[in-house]
Amino acid sequence: MNVAVQAVPRTSSAAAPPARLALLGTGNVGGEVLARLEQLGRVPGGGWSLVHVRNSRACISDRAGLRPTDAGERVRGQAIAAGALPEVPEALGHDGLRIIIDATASDAIAARHAEWLAAGIHVVTACKLGQGTSLERWRSIRAAADRGGAVYGDAATVGAGLPLIRSIRELVAGGDRILGIAGVLSGSLAWLFNHYDGLRPFSGFVRQARHAGYTEPDPREDLSGEDVRRKILILARSAGHELEEHDVRVESLVPQALARLAQGEVDASLAMLDGDMRARFADARKSGCSLRFVARLDQSCARVGLEALAADDPLAAGAGTDNRLAIEADRYRGQPLVIQGPGAGAAVTAAALVDDMLRIIRGPASHH
């Protein structure tokens, strides 16, 4: 099933005060959120009002409302010194509909998600460090959301808003057991193995992916498989399997000699990847297979690593940075439900964040 991620049209009530928004992070994703909010505009007497914007260096607040692009420019220009994170709820006020949009990759901010939820503040996030790390933190977030009556909007944490988490939760809510999950869940690794041809050095493709912005500045963060570990943990926990981080076996593509280097030495040493990858590509090709970096959950066992997939495998297709997930459930035995679409990029991630925000504003009937 091909899925295009689009913003959900906003509705408002003239009788309802606007939801107050705080945006954390003004980088690539946060900048796209601001642009999307600017495009949506504000509806007097309803809808939403952006009252706080911050990044790691600066912040700006105005309870009367901020124009998104103007606020972003002022914060990025460090016009006002940043305050401490506890000031975020203060900036939102103590009543009404309050939503924090976390467009960061900050562990310090993820550590506060539960606290904000318990205070009745809705949290919308693309950060995997909330639900994709320790089981204790995941449980705290779920319990805090229940206790505070708040929504934790997490569609952007896996698949950049593709209906992956939502589909799993709806199947479970409908009485299905999730019998297995398998997916290509990293846009950067999808791009690499969709393009690697076994003829040119793999290290050259890694540099191309980094220059295109598909990988982190240090590509070892992508190649290590740790990002994919967090994503399969989120999906597994959504399916009812409360796994710890160590329950996921991860095959890193980074040789130990490369892993030990300082970041500044990595680029000159990427050729360490080439020999093993060339041999694995050749072995796969002899069998008519393609290499893909895959995450799998079978009952309560999870693993992440490079696999040689047959041409008819549901995960062997796809192009570019597409994510692809195959879900086997009671109603999908033998032929899994397959969801595919753009799973990386600032624009689609920002769209997912704004969509979750709008679902909260529209009310419980729109929550998934």
Side-chain angles (χ1 to χ4, degrees), residues 25-161:
T26 60
N28 291 337
V29 174
E32 290 286 350
V33 170
L34 288 167
R36 204 165 187 87
L37 293 177
E38 183 80 17
Q39 183 180 14
L40 285 173
R42 281 170 50 194
V43 175
W48 54 268
S49 176
L50 181 66
V51 300
H52 183 77
V53 178
R54 68 180 293 125
N55 58 26
S56 60
R57 299 174 303 280
C59 69
I60 184 171
S61 295
D62 189 339
R63 288 291 295 277
L66 299 163
R67 180 175 176 179
T69 53
D70 176 62
E73 290 171 4
R74 292 174 65 185
V75 169
R76 283 189 287 264
Q78 303 185 48
I80 302 173
L85 282 174
E87 295 179 6
V88 177
E90 188 67 29
L92 285 170
H94 302 287
D95 58 4
L97 190 59
R98 298 163 294 163
I99 305 173
I100 292 173
I101 304 174
D102 178 7
T104 75
S106 167
D107 185 68
I109 290 175
R112 290 193 174 269
H113 287 176
E115 172 189 328
W116 294 333
L117 291 163
I121 300 172
H122 305 283
V123 176
V124 171
T125 185
C127 182
K128 292 173 284 294
L129 300 178
Q131 295 192 113
T133 52
S134 73
L135 187 57
E136 179 183 6
R137 179 178 286 184
W138 177 81
R139 286 173 172 163
S140 295
I141 286 171
R142 307 317 304 178
D146 290 341
R147 187 166 65 251
V151 173
Y152 193 68
D154 56 4
T157 59
V158 185

